[in-house]
Amino acid sequence: MKNRQTVAAFDFDGTLTVRDTLFEFIKFVCGSTRLYVGLALCSPVLAAYVLHLVSNSFAKEHLFSCFFKGMKYERFRTLGEDFARRVDEIKRVETVEALRRHVAEGHRTYVVSASIEEWVRPWCTSAGVEPDRVLATRVEVIDGHLTGHFSSKNCHGAEKVRRLLECEPNRADYVLYAYGDSNGDREMLQLSDFPKWVK
């Protein structure tokens, strides 16, 4: 292993942060009252997800659409950049320190997240991750506005492995460290040589 390169892959929500940033971002943009009203309106779909009647991806896209469909993309992107300050308030210090160590040691460091690119990438790049090494869910934009749909698969579970291997296909050529906290990270952790479950 001494002659192989090192790659490190980090989940974002619950791993580099202490809580899910989807709800934090909605609250940041819309305020607490609208968040709770929106969750109430989305409750049938969220209940169906809890009962395993619909997929994680379906429920997440539905929730995203409820709050952001029709928003100008430039405003959404700017809000994502502004949200980086909020991420600093909810970061998981020990995992962020591990990320910074990998970056400082010259390891190819990725953040692989089911959250949305526009609010994950700004914080990650400020922490030293190369922009093209932030692999997250992408939003669909038509005529400068969010459609409420995703333009990529939800970057969750097996999709995390697919996206990472798309960037780092020669698996035998590197040692992989992976950091995650949930079932959505299980496949990425199983792929790695050094899985780090964050609790």
Side-chain angles (χ1 to χ4, degrees):
M1 288 192 182
K2 287 184 178 179
N3 296 324
R4 294 160 71 190
Q5 295 292 316
T6 298
V7 172
F10 289 78
D11 169 53
F12 189 67
D13 295 300
T15 299
L16 290 168
T17 67
V18 297
R19 61 179 70 103
D20 190 291
T21 57
L22 172 60
F23 297 107
E24 291 296 317
F25 184 73
I26 294 170
K27 185 162 60 174
F28 177 79
V29 174
C30 304
S32 297
T33 300
R34 190 173 165 211
L35 168 63
Y36 298 133
V37 170
L39 289 176
L41 293 172
C42 292
S43 59
V45 171
L46 298 178
Y49 167 66
V50 171
L51 294 170
H52 305 290
L53 300 175
V54 300
S55 69
N56 172 285
S57 298
F58 180 89
K60 180 178 174 182
E61 190 172 49
H62 180 79
L63 185 65
F64 179 82
S65 183
C66 283
F67 289 97
F68 300 112
K69 181 179 180 179
M71 179 180 283
K72 288 185 177 180
Y73 175 72
E74 284 306 313
R75 171 166 166 71
F76 182 73
R77 184 182 56 78
T78 299
L79 288 166
E81 293 170 353
D82 293 343
F83 184 66
R85 294 191 297 274
R86 175 63 181 140
V87 174
D88 258 338
E89 296 170 9
I90 59 171
K91 67 186 178 184
R92 191 180 295 276
V93 174
E94 61 273 23
T95 318
V96 171
E97 288 176 350
L99 179 142
R100 291 186 187 278
R101 282 197 301 272
H102 281 291
V103 170
E105 290 173 16
H107 301 161
R108 297 198 295 271
T109 304
Y110 292 82
V111 174
V112 191
S113 175
S115 277
I116 306 300
E117 241 177 34
E118 279 73 12
W119 75 72
V120 176
R121 179 172 285 140
W123 183 87
C124 293
T125 55
S126 74
V129 180
E130 295 290 332
D132 61 353
R133 291 179 181 165
V134 179
L135 312 177
T137 303
R138 299 179 183 125
V139 295
E140 182 180 69
V141 180
I142 294 179
D143 295 331
H145 291 78
L146 301 179
T147 66
H149 297 296
F150 299 150
S151 65
S152 69
K153 288 185 178 180
N154 184 29
C155 193
H156 175 270
E159 180 65 8
K160 290 194 172 194
V161 170
R162 192 195 71 77
R163 293 280 298 274
L164 181 61
L165 290 178
E166 189 175 57
C167 296
E168 298 286 349
N170 301 317
R171 182 65 189 85
D173 293 347
Y174 58 88
V175 175
L176 177 62
Y177 288 77
Y179 298 76
D181 74 304
S182 71
N183 283 337
D185 306 313
R186 188 173 300 278
E187 291 91 340
M188 185 171 75
L189 288 159
Q190 289 173 341
L191 178 72
S192 70
D193 300 292
F194 297 102
K196 307 288 185 181
W197 282 99
V198 176
K199 298 181 180 178

